[in-house]
């Protein structure tokens, strides 16, 4: 739980949220069921999915760098 309150914990959480929502956007049934709403918590998931699909190269490089940091740097 203390990792959530650190900056690197928040970055890991944000990257995981963006990657998960972008993956869920590729599944047709889940896209219409979960990511069609644009308000509330599902709106946050929708926006994270849009970020993940439009900036997929930046997000993937950030995931690789964060994985390297968590495995080696900590």
């Amino acid at each position: 739980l203390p990792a959530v309150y650190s900056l690197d914990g928040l970055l890991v959480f944000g990257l995981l949220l963006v990657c998960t929502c972008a993956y869920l956007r590729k599944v047709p049934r889940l896209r219409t069921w979960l990511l069609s709403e644009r308000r509330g918590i599902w709106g946050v998931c929708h926006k994270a999915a849009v970020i993940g699909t439009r900036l997929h190269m930046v997000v993937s490089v950030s995931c690789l760098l964060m994985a390297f940091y968590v495995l080696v740097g900590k």
Side-chain angles (χ1 to χ4, degrees):
L1 191 63
V4 176
Y5 298 112
S6 64
L7 180 62
D8 54 346
L10 287 174
L11 288 174
V12 168
F13 177 76
L15 283 172
L16 287 174
L17 178 73
V18 167
C19 292
T20 303
C21 291
Y23 177 75
L24 290 177
R25 187 176 175 153
K26 297 294 182 183
V27 180
R29 282 192 179 183
L30 291 177
R31 181 179 186 176
T32 58
W33 186 53
L34 292 176
L35 300 173
S36 61
E37 186 67 34
R38 296 183 190 225
R39 285 191 250 169
I41 189 68
W42 298 119
V44 173
C45 292
H46 173 76
K47 290 174 185 174
V50 169
I51 290 170
T53 53
R54 290 187 182 170
L55 299 175
H56 63 277
M57 287 300 292
V58 175
V59 171
S60 63
V61 169
S62 299
C63 285
L64 288 173
L65 289 174
M66 185 56 73
F68 181 75
Y69 170 73
V70 168
L71 290 175
V72 177
K74 274 188 137 177

